[in-house]
Amino acid sequence: MAQPSPLAHTLTGFPAAATSFVSALDANRQRIAQDAGVSATELRALFRVGRSMSITPKDLAHHLGMTTGAITAIARRLVEANLLKRVDHPGDRRSLYLELTPHGHDVMSGIHRDFSEMLTACTTSLTAQQLTAFTETLTSVAAEVRTRSARP
């Protein structure tokens, strides 16, 4: 039996542009993580803690799709790097919250500032109206992708 000839699986149009955009953001996230001295997964955890302000390891594990054991190891590393701190849970002495340290806040502020500056520089060719339309479209597409990707 003859082997089928190999075919390249490529996207075109908007799907290709969307994939290229996501790949560029992922490469940027890898660079940010490396610059911060953390892994990409640790950076995702750091972003989630920063967005939540205070989160239990169990909730962080659920958000990242990981076991609580894996989150314990990640949290330990981020605590040792002075990016996170453990805070006692006021209603459950067996539980705790993870929060950013002052250094963690400084790191996150720098990451957000650098990212905003980069995107501002990347969109200088757009008028204010075009940027607003692009922002609204990107937000709408992201929301629809989340909706269609959700598991019942």
Side-chain angles (χ1 to χ4, degrees):
M1 178 183 237
Q3 292 286 339
S5 53
L7 300 174
H9 296 278
T10 59
L11 298 170
T12 59
F14 180 74
T19 300
S20 178
F21 181 67
V22 170
S23 293
L25 289 178
D26 189 52
N28 186 60
R29 178 175 41 195
Q30 294 289 344
R31 181 194 56 78
I32 290 168
Q34 187 176 38
D35 289 351
V38 298
S39 72
T41 302
E42 291 166 343
L43 185 67
R44 286 181 61 217
L46 201 58
F47 265 79
R48 182 60 179 172
V49 173
R51 189 170 46 250
S52 300
M53 293 177 43
S54 188
I55 189 169
T56 65
K58 180 180 177 182
D59 289 339
L60 182 58
H62 177 73
H63 173 76
L64 295 177
M66 304 176 98
T67 65
T68 52
I71 291 301
T72 298
I74 288 170
R76 183 178 301 122
R77 171 132 160 65
L78 293 173
V79 167
E80 289 170 359
N82 193 31
L83 295 167
L84 289 185
K85 63 182 175 181
R86 295 180 183 97
V87 178
D88 290 337
H89 189 298
D92 183 355
R93 63 181 173 79
R94 297 169 295 154
S95 188
L96 58 92
Y97 286 108
L98 297 170
E99 297 178 358
L100 293 176
T101 62
H103 176 62
H105 280 287
D106 289 345
V107 168
M108 290 303 297
S109 293
I111 290 169
H112 284 174
R113 182 185 58 253
D114 292 350
F115 187 67
S116 293
E117 288 172 359
M118 180 184 66
L119 289 182
T120 297
C122 292
T123 57
T124 57
S125 65
L126 300 178
T127 66
Q129 287 178 320
Q130 289 172 323
L131 185 57
T132 297
F134 180 62
T135 300
E136 290 170 357
T137 301
L138 193 58
T139 301
S140 174
V141 169
E144 187 64 23
V145 167
R146 277 190 202 91
T147 298
R148 291 174 182 261
S149 299
R151 297 208 191 301

